[in-house]
Amino acid sequence: YLNGDSSNPTLLKALMQAGMGVTTDNLEMVRTMMEEQLPIDKNSLNQMMRQLAMFPKAAPSVIAQMNKLGIPVTEANVQQFSNYKADTAAIMKELENVLEQLPKSIAGEGDTAGQMTAKNMQLMDILFGGETIEQSQDAGAKAQELLAKTADGSVTIKSGEQQAADIAKELQQILSTAEDGMQQTSAAGEGIQQADAAKQAEGRQMPAATQGSLGEILGKEGAASLEQQLKALETDGKQVLFDKNGNLNTGMSAEEFLKNLNQLFKENEFPQKEALFKLFSGKEYQTIFKKAVENQWYLEPQETGSKETVEKLYNRLQTQMNRLDEFIKQAGSGTEGLQKAVADVRGNIEFMNQINQIYNFVQLPLKMNGQNVNSELYVYTNKKNPRDMDGELSAFLHLDMDHLGSTDISVKMKGTAVKTNFYMADDASYELILAHAEELAERLENKGYQCQIEVKSEEKDMDFVEDFLKHDMPSAGKVYRYSFDVRA
């Protein structure tokens, strides 16, 4: 029994016939290709060698698996595939990086007052303004390529897949309730009084008109600081921001405040460079800016069951990222961090597009009870080998939550029979989900499903590449050669 690449004659013969040297890297390349059941003829080996030379930081297994799946081997795809393989592909994290960098790009140390207000107005137009006819046409064309290049240019969640999305919505709403319970339990354990917990609960149930107001976002001290920064601008047009007593209107939403302030910039000149720089670089303005954009980019759990809502989110992201790319080119220095963050989001969206040539997959950035969580919904359907519509459909939902921790849900459905397994990271989360399992079953039964629910207190490691992308094409495993005497 001979173990190891250097003594495997199959690997050595393949390299010799391709005219390649017997090196550690070349042996690993051939072995990896064999594990992925790829051909190891001369042309295939030379193509693989060229790709590895183009992307020297990529592991041979990454390039081999991308070739096996038919994913184009480009720099952006190699980076994203590596991220997905390492379970670090959360688009929510990438969006948060953009949110962090966006307001910082407005005020540069060397910018004039006019440059700062111009950049702010341009960002407001990109994120909250209307589109020109040309931009709308461009967005419509790109929407055809977004996520799934299918006949109708939409995310392909139909029939059984739409059922999976419907079930995912109910799962997320139950998780939102459980997360709320875990948050209150955690707060009580830290000695927070019942009155404070009740106050927090009351805040979550406030009417939509008052949720997300400046007063809530900034608090009393932050609102007072912002008021002073605005008064330092010395303009008579601040009545849209202040009440009749001359105090900041803290009842405005983040978006209302930004739009009103932007209107002031359009109607007034602000020669006070120092005052503008202090406003734009201050944590108060940057917090408001990020909150307003968050409301555009993150979905409520009840929105995730709608194909149209998810399509609209990604169409908007695609259009805005493209326009932000143009903004970065015009703004020049000081936008390096934003440039990388935008490129990461664009790369992730395009990679999801590539994945959707084979499978149905989408990441859903969620807002749940005051926190933003990453959600990944995998609906397993191989488009290159369409299944019988009466067959079993598999889906997998993964969330990373502040209080419940890592939460994984496996769903198998045949017709209207649904089997759901929850995998919780710890015993406390297990007990809480178990307490809500009956409520979930009742909700699904009301929608016409027969539901079987099982809750387990264990983490389920989901390997996106092996368990999802390569569901129909698993690796063959390590290749060995056995030499023995048949006479013995």
Side-chain angles (χ1 to χ4, degrees):
Y1 166 51
L2 302 175
N3 189 7
D5 294 343
S6 61
S7 57
N8 189 325
T10 304
L11 307 186
L12 298 174
K13 185 177 179 181
L15 289 173
M16 181 183 68
Q17 291 184 342
M20 295 181 178
V22 180
T23 65
T24 302
D25 289 343
N26 286 350
L27 286 167
E28 182 186 2
M29 176 184 72
V30 181
R31 176 181 54 76
T32 302
M33 293 174 73
M34 290 182 68
E35 288 179 4
E36 297 301 336
Q37 302 170 57
L38 295 173
I40 55 171
D41 58 275
K42 181 177 179 179
N43 289 337
S44 298
L45 288 179
N46 280 314
Q47 180 188 0
M48 183 75 168
M49 178 72 79
R50 287 193 297 270
Q51 290 173 332
L52 287 171
M54 289 175 62
F55 308 105
K57 293 183 180 179
S61 61
V62 167
I63 304 298
Q65 288 169 349
M66 289 179 67
N67 283 325
K68 183 175 184 176
L69 292 164
I71 297 173
V73 181
T74 65
E75 185 174 357
N77 282 351
V78 168
Q79 179 62 49
Q80 289 297 331
F81 191 91
S82 300
N83 289 346
Y84 276 77
K85 193 173 173 65
D87 196 25
T88 57
I91 196 167
M92 189 198 73
K93 295 176 184 176
E94 295 168 351
L95 291 176
E96 285 182 344
N97 289 338
V98 176
L99 285 172
E100 189 66 30
Q101 296 296 328
L102 267 175
K104 292 180 180 179
S105 66
I106 298 173
E109 289 287 350
D111 287 344
T112 65
Q115 287 173 323
M116 285 186 276
T117 55
K119 285 197 288 186
N120 184 77
M121 284 189 283
Q122 190 175 355
L123 284 179
M124 288 295 297
D125 180 58
I126 291 171
L127 297 167
F128 306 107
E131 296 178 337
T132 64
I133 294 175
E134 182 180 350
Q135 289 164 349
S136 296
Q137 291 172 340
D138 182 58
K142 291 185 181 302
Q144 298 300 314
E145 303 172 357
L146 184 64
L147 293 177
K149 294 177 182 174
T150 57
D152 61 357
S154 64
V155 182
T156 314
I157 300 180
K158 303 173 184 175
S159 59
E161 290 88 341
Q162 181 59 54
Q163 288 179 295
D166 189 36
I167 291 171
K169 180 176 75 171
E170 297 297 335
L171 293 172
Q172 289 165 339
Q173 288 179 337
I174 289 293
L175 285 169
S176 181
T177 304
E179 175 76 354
D180 186 29
M182 182 66 83
Q183 182 178 11
Q184 293 189 33
T185 301
S186 174
E190 293 171 4
I192 296 179
Q193 299 298 317
Q194 290 287 337
D196 290 339
K199 186 176 180 180
Q200 291 173 7
E202 181 183 354
R204 283 188 294 273
Q205 297 168 3
M206 291 173 68
T210 58
Q211 284 186 337
S213 66
L214 293 188
E216 287 188 326
I217 296 168
L218 299 177
K220 187 176 292 186
E221 291 184 8
S225 177
L226 177 63
E227 183 177 305
Q228 294 305 312
Q229 293 169 22
L230 293 170
K231 287 181 177 178
L233 295 178
E234 299 178 2
T235 176
D236 295 330
K238 294 194 293 291
Q239 63 271 18
V240 291
L241 302 174
F242 290 76
D243 60 24
K244 60 183 181 181
N245 297 320
N247 299 318
L248 177 65
N249 179 6
T250 56
M252 287 184 291
S253 68
E255 187 171 340
E256 286 172 340
F257 169 79
L258 291 175
K259 287 184 175 179
N260 286 336
L261 182 62
N262 196 48
Q263 191 61 35
L264 282 182
F265 292 144
K266 290 180 179 179
E267 296 173 354
N268 297 270
E269 291 187 7
F270 293 91
Q272 308 90 347
K273 173 184 172 180
E274 293 77 11
L276 278 172
F277 183 82
K278 188 173 182 181
L279 171 67
F280 288 136
S281 61
K283 65 178 182 180
E284 292 81 13
Y285 183 83
Q286 295 189 6
T287 299
I288 294 168
F289 197 102
K290 287 188 282 188
K291 183 66 176 178
V293 182
E294 266 182 20
N295 291 336
Q296 280 197 26
W297 289 353
Y298 296 161
L299 299 172
E300 300 284 355
Q302 61 269 22
E303 295 177 303
T304 59
S306 166
K307 180 185 73 173
E308 290 74 18
T309 301
V310 176
E311 285 177 356
K312 188 176 179 181
L313 168 67
Y314 275 97
N315 288 345
R316 184 191 306 128
L317 283 175
Q318 182 86 333
T319 301
Q320 290 179 345
M321 294 303 139
N322 289 339
R323 295 188 66 192
L324 283 175
D325 204 35
E326 291 300 316
F327 165 79
I328 291 165
K329 292 174 184 176
Q330 295 173 18
S333 61
T335 59
E336 292 80 8
L338 179 60
Q339 185 176 26
K340 183 182 183 308
V342 168
D344 286 343
V345 173
R346 293 180 69 188
N348 202 333
I349 292 174
E350 179 55 31
F351 189 74
M352 276 190 264
N353 181 14
Q354 296 293 341
I355 293 174
N356 272 271
Q357 307 309 305
I358 314 167
Y359 303 115
N360 293 310
F361 165 73
V362 68
Q363 293 188 62
L364 304 172
L366 295 180
K367 293 180 287 190
M368 298 178 81
N369 286 352
Q371 62 172 304
N372 298 320
V373 302
N374 187 63
S375 166
E376 297 174 15
L377 174 62
Y378 312 80
V379 182
Y380 178 72
T381 305
N382 189 333
K383 296 179 183 178
K384 295 184 178 180
N385 182 25
R387 61 179 173 79
D388 181 354
M389 293 307 293
D390 295 328
E392 185 178 73
L393 182 141
S394 300
F396 189 84
L397 180 67
H398 171 80
L399 300 101
D400 294 304
M401 306 181 73
D402 288 351
H403 301 282
L404 287 174
S406 176
T407 301
D408 297 298
I409 308 165
S410 169
V411 179
K412 292 188 181 296
M413 178 168 56
K414 188 169 185 178
T416 58
V418 180
K419 182 178 180 181
T420 305
N421 288 336
F422 285 82
Y423 300 89
M424 310 307 298
D426 56 57
D427 291 341
S429 299
Y430 163 80
E431 294 289 347
L432 198 57
I433 292 296
L434 193 62
H436 289 281
E438 188 175 331
E439 180 185 347
L440 174 61
E442 188 176 319
R443 285 192 186 192
L444 292 175
E445 285 169 7
N446 289 339
K447 290 180 175 286
Y449 299 102
Q450 295 81 49
C451 192
Q452 177 186 343
I453 299 173
E454 187 174 348
V455 185
K456 300 179 181 180
S457 181
E458 61 182 68
E459 288 194 61
K460 182 175 178 63
D461 295 327
M462 173 68 180
D463 187 322
F464 181 81
V465 173
E466 292 293 338
D467 296 348
F468 184 74
L469 287 184
K470 296 170 65 182
H471 189 283
D472 283 336
M473 301 178 286
S475 300
K478 190 170 180 62
V479 179
Y480 297 99
R481 180 183 177 89
Y482 298 87
S483 299
F484 56 92
D485 188 335
V486 294
R487 293 171 298 178

